[in-house]
Amino acid sequence: MRLVHLADLHLGFRQYQRLTPSGINQREADVAATVLRATAQIVDLAPELIVIGGDIFHTVRPSNPAIVHAYRVLMQLRDRLPDTPIVMVAGNHDAPRTAETGCILRLFREIGVFVADAKAELFTFPQQSLAVLAVPDVPGIDRPPLLPPDGFTHRVLLMHGEIAGLLPAHAASADRAAIEIQPAELHAEQWSYVALGHYHVYREVATRAYYSGSLDYTSSNPWGELREEKEQRIPGKGFIEHDLVSGAHRFHPVQPSRPLLDLEYVDASGMSAQDLDSAIKARVDTAPGGIDDRVVRLTVRNVARHVVRELDHAALRDYRKRAMHFHLDTRRPDPLPRRAGDGSGGRARRATLPELVAERLRERALPADVDREQFVTLGMRYLKQAEDAAMAALPVLES
């Protein structure tokens, strides 16, 4: 009894300003092509069950091309695997924020897909002695106890959400937070398999409980995902094949349509603008596979603002023209510590609140198209406004 578990397709995901000849955002087209490749791999495996752990679309109101593509993909699975049930749940990107707004996933019930979009639902398949408890990520949902039903040989829990304490800092999102689940709530040892969606990196949570990860790099910080995949020796994005009888488990990589390349960082300490131009050129010229048509990031640490202004911007424009997207992530030096004789008596000085906030803002993972210095400046402005408001609210003490 083999199932395939995939999640976080994010069809309709858009990024950067490049368009295809037909006028579709290039990254949207890339993700659609990746999902199509994954579909072909799943058809070849011919599993007995397919579960999709949410975030089928990137937005609650996806574009028409995204809806059509999802329909084609699911129809291909239905036509090629007519005896294989497909069960999906809504993720936080799919679920509307208001009850009166319908969820687009309901459309796929018309072609025989089992969809849980507004409440938890138990789908049963008596011929296979199979039950799937599907729990969508819906604000204010009345979530039932996550316990398997009696009377079935194979019992699968499918849900979209965040296992408390699991996600690393780079996975933090500006989107509405997913529902949080305590690890003990899963009762993972009682299920045949627990299929999770939301976290974009393949990961084991507990016995027979897994995040499949996303099919492509569709988060606000793909560079953190690349780093984690490298550290954990995970071969990129993909989906899971799991046998509910034997326990055989396999992660199937899916080749992304647009490779991402995070170049080795440059430490610009003591460099002039000309020195840094040469170092950047060396990184670009020796990039594995080159930078052409790829999404590329080069981080430069310890670089002063005036050095960035004096860089060869014609060369940078050429890199951006060659790559699908080229992001030069420049980071200023850390503030120098106080020296003896500055009034601190040689003791270590505690950082001020503005210094701590600025440091955290400089370390925070950002989308590739967000200027870090503007981000830090805006954050410091908000902090100053908050401090001024707090001071104004203090009572006046009379002598």
Side-chain angles (χ1 to χ4, degrees), residues 263-267 278-287 298:
L263 298 174
E264 182 183 355
Y265 77 89
V266 173
D267 186 345
S278 298
I280 294 171
K281 184 177 186 301
R283 291 287 190 274
V284 169
D285 290 346
T286 59
L298 174 57

Side-chain angles (χ1 to χ4, degrees), residues 8-59:
D8 297 282
L9 284 60
H10 286 271
L11 289 167
F13 172 79
R14 295 178 180 179
Q15 196 175 37
Y16 317 129
Q17 304 302 318
R18 297 288 183 93
L19 301 178
T20 67
S22 60
I24 301 296
N25 179 273
Q26 183 62 68
R27 286 297 290 140
E28 180 177 0
D30 291 343
V31 171
T34 301
V35 172
L36 199 59
R37 277 195 299 279
T39 302
Q41 291 177 237
I42 293 168
V43 167
D44 288 342
L45 290 173
E48 284 73 41
L49 172 67
I50 297 171
V51 292
I52 307 176
D55 283 358
I56 287 77
F57 295 108
H58 190 64
T59 62

